[in-house]
Amino acid sequence: MLWLDEATSQLLTLEVTFTNLPEGVQDPRAGGTVDFMQLPSGAWIVQRWQVRTPHIEPRRVVEQFVTIVVISKRGLGAARIDAIYDRGRRYPIGGPSGIRLGDSVATSIPWHPGGLAFRTVVGARGRARTSREIFLEPGQVFVVKFPEYFMPGGLLYRFEPQ
């Protein structure tokens, strides 16, 4: 805001405020003033100023992951297993071509809040099956026995981070 002398319309003070701050930043000390003075020549100079910037804590960006381990039986061919979060984020387990059954695969995927389910397709013309939804916390390791996990009462193991 710019303040002028009411009688002479001369420049007095400029008040400084901050707008469009990041969400959650409210610092009542932020802002300041700039006071002006007119020289005999008519030019204006800054007589004094004080501006305080808002205190903003840098966000620590820490990638958070969960680890999915799939232990599968032999003799079933190949399977494509996808981990799917309830908001549509999909991560292939064992890579885009899936896994050879009989192998064990461990994959770390980014953690997202919300439920996680697994969808599998066995063989080239297999039917897709989706598991029940689970909820994981960052750092957890989740072990799936395939195909037992996808059967009623299927086995799963969950390990907490150390």
Side-chain angles (χ1 to χ4, degrees):
M1 184 177 295
L2 191 60
W3 292 94
L4 304 175
D5 184 280
E6 191 174 331
T8 64
S9 297
Q10 288 184 326
L11 181 61
L12 295 176
T13 303
L14 172 67
E15 286 185 3
V16 178
T17 58
F18 291 90
T19 59
N20 298 323
L21 293 173
E23 184 178 335
V25 174
Q26 296 177 354
D27 190 341
R29 300 169 299 162
T33 57
V34 179
D35 296 324
F36 298 94
M37 180 174 81
Q38 189 172 23
L39 298 175
S41 67
W44 289 92
I45 63 167
V46 173
Q47 183 178 18
R48 70 180 153 263
W49 61 275
Q50 176 186 11
V51 178
R52 289 192 174 128
T53 60
H55 178 71
I56 301 173
E57 288 287 329
R59 287 189 181 179
R60 293 182 186 166
V61 178
V62 177
E63 290 289 337
Q64 297 180 340
F65 293 90
V66 294
T67 300
I68 310 298
V69 178
V70 176
I71 301 170
S72 62
K73 281 190 173 177
R74 294 190 183 280
L76 297 173
R80 179 172 170 83
I81 302 176
D82 292 329
I84 304 171
Y85 282 99
D86 60 5
R87 291 199 167 85
R89 294 180 177 100
R90 185 168 65 100
Y91 298 93
I93 304 298
S97 59
I99 65 171
R100 280 188 17 231
L101 296 176
D103 291 346
S104 296
V105 175
T107 304
S108 289
I109 62 173
W111 175 82
H112 297 284
L116 175 70
F118 298 95
R119 191 183 67 161
T120 64
V121 177
V122 178
R125 299 184 189 270
R127 191 174 63 123
R129 296 183 122 183
T130 302
S131 71
R132 62 198 176 277
E133 190 174 53
I134 60 167
F135 292 88
L136 296 175
E137 295 298 321
Q140 284 187 321
V141 176
F142 185 74
V143 179
V144 176
K145 287 187 81 176
F146 183 79
E148 291 89 347
Y149 175 71
F150 291 87
M151 298 174 184
L155 302 172
L156 68 98
Y157 306 93
R158 185 189 318 240
F159 299 95
E160 301 296 323
Q162 297 292 333

